[in-house]
């Protein structure tokens, strides 16, 4: 199924600014759907058969969480014309909310049609032409006398619907803000123009009670109440100012209020049908348990990062001890073996150093590879320098892949630098190069470590070779990484190692 943007761009001439407005509307209209007890369908006009009349394409749909849906089937992507969408044409041409007409039937479901024109305010603050139409379709199969809560929901929904037609809803979203909470069912408070509470749903009353206010909310000045209840005076003042901002017609960001070990998230929306401020809608949600779990996770993450930091320090201590031991050993082969161990331990320490600064168990791997490659290049003698570089990007990798992969790449780079250019006759010393080329697919990493050195000996067999570095490469690739590796000579000279690593989630 195509996205809203794809459908609009393919079938209409709307510009990017208009499409962004429709995206914001579709991101915030669950609120109106729940208040209306109705499905909302976003229709855009498209060119069709002139004899069939105006055609409309449904590019988005939302179902209410407070009532049965009018549509069992998804309507997105459906094109309608003729009498079926006549009400949409009236709303678009006349620029007004259409509420006339008799109920219609979808199979066994009776429904009431409404149509709301969608406008966007320009930079000058003036509402432009109608760019789309929202169909508000209510399932009437469970119709009954509405309760006080339902009447307040419907009244508020009508005010917001008029703001869609005026171009004042939705407001521009604040950076980093989502539309996930609070929602209508979490708690709804309606304010009049002076900021006094005219209605509070039972869930809203319960949420405010958690903050320490036991009386009924109706008649209270909500801004003053938040200022009084908040434990932090600055936090209370900020919450109060956001309520007052909504009463003036602003759309302030969400705000958390803490009191008596409880936390309530609030969202204030201005009510301005026909451009006249008549009050505000405040949604509240008790997030005390959510905050408690967040604090527990933050503590856990801090503990894990501290563990990685200590592991890194311990590994660096081990590397330092091995380095000291290597300096005291007179036998060249023993010294070389200890120095190789130092580099292996240091490469693992790099991963833990990165994890100690990460908020999760994942690392940006490119920086680690670059540091390992630079360290490997330093092994080459000053008389025969070897250049290393990376092509492509590894991206973010989980720790369970990053740790064995850095070990494998460290061994491949060291092998290339130490053995790929030994006794290389006729090769200019400044042309020695090792390249790490990586391509990342959705479920697999393709890595090639290639050099322009002398190539593999004719009798080379990676499965029978007893070198420790190759044994580490084979064991980690086939075991920890569950991948494959192939060592071969390159066309034109040199050696290349082809490494394939699956990125799919692993069984624990």
């Amino acid at each position: 199924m195509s996205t809203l943007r794809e459908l609009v761009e393919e079938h209409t001439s709307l510009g990017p600014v208009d499409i962004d407005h429709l995206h914001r509307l579709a991101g915030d209209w669950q609120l109106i759907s729940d208040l209306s007890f109705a499905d909302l369908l976003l229709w855009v006009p498209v060119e069709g058969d002139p004899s069939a009349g105006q055609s409309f394409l449904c590019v988005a749909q939302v179902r209410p969480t407070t009532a049965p849906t009018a549509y069992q089937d998804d309507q997105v992507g459906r094109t309608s014309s003729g009498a079926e969408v006549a009400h949409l044409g009236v709303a678009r041409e006349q620029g007004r909310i259409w509420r006339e007409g008799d109920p219609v039937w979808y199979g066994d479901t009776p429904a009431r049609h409404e149509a709301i024109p969608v406008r966007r305010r320009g930079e000058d603050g003036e509402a432009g032409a109608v760019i789309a139409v929202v169909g508000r379709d209510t399932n009437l199969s469970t119709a009954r006398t509405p309760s006080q809560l339902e009447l307040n929901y419907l009244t508020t929904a009508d005010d917001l619907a008029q703001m869609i037609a005026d171009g004042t809803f939705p407001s521009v979203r604040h950076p980093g803000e989502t539309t996930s909470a609070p929602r209508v069912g979490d708690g709804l408070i309606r304010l009049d123009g002076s900021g006094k509470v005219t209605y509070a749903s039972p869930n809203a009353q319960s949420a405010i009670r958690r903050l320490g206010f036991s009386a009924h909310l109706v008649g209270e000045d909500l801004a003053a109440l938040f200022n009084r209840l908040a434990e932090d005076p600055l936090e209370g003042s900020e919450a109060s100012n956001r309520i007052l901002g909504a009463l003036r017609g602003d759309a302030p960001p969400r705000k958390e209020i803490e009191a008596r070990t409880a936390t309530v998230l609030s969202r204030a929306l201005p009510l301005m049908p026909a451009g006249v401020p008549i009050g505000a809608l405040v949604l509240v949600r008790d997030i005390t348990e959510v905050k408690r779990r967040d604090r527990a996770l933050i503590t856990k993450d801090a503990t894990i990062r501290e563990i990685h930091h200590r592991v890194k320090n311990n590994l660096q201590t081990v590397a330092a001890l091995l380095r000291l031991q290597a300096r005291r050993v007179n036998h060249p082969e023993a010294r070389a073996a200890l120095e190789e161990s130092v580099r292996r331990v240091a490469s693992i320490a790099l991963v833990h150093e990165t994890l100690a600064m990460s908020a999760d168990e994942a690392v940006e791997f490119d920086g680690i590879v670059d540091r390992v490659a630079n360290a490997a290049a330093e092994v080459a003698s000053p008389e025969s320098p070897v250049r290393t570089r990376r092509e492509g990007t590894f991206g973010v990798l989980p720790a369970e892949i990053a740790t064995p992969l850095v070990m494998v790449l460290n061994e491949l780079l060291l092998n290339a630098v130490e053995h790929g250019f030994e006794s290389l006759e006729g090769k200019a010393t400044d042309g020695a190069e090792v390249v790490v080329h990586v391509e990342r697919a959705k479920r697999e990493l393709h890595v090639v470590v290639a050099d322009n050195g002398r190539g593999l000996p004719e009798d080379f067999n990676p499965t029978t070779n007893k070198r420790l570095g190759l044994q580490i490469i084979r064991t980690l690739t086939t075991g920890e990484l569950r991948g494959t590796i192939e060592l071969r000579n390159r066309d034109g000279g040199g050696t290349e190692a082809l490494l394939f690593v699956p990125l799919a989630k692993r069984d624990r």
Side-chain angles (χ1 to χ4, degrees), residues 384 420-421 423-433 452-454 492-494:
S384 303
F421 303 98
S423 303
L424 186 58
E425 297 178 359
K427 178 71 69 175
T429 57
D430 59 355
E433 183 179 57
N452 58 351
R454 63 176 183 172

Side-chain angles (χ1 to χ4, degrees), residues 347-360:
S347 67
I348 301 175
L350 278 178
V351 176
H352 285 280
E353 180 181 0
T354 307
L355 286 170
M357 297 182 290
S358 174
D360 51 25

Side-chain angles (χ1 to χ4, degrees), residues 33 144 158 202 213 223 285 302 321 362 365 375 436:
S33 176
R144 56 185 174 79
D158 288 343
F213 183 76
R285 179 185 178 189
L321 292 174
F365 200 69
V436 179

Side-chain angles (χ1 to χ4, degrees), residues 290-309:
V290 175
K291 293 293 291 184
R292 183 188 62 80
R293 288 195 294 269
D294 285 347
R295 284 191 286 267
L297 287 174
I298 291 173
T299 301
K300 180 180 178 182
D301 289 343
T303 302
I304 292 173
R305 288 197 296 272
E306 177 62 22
I307 291 173
H308 284 303
H309 180 72

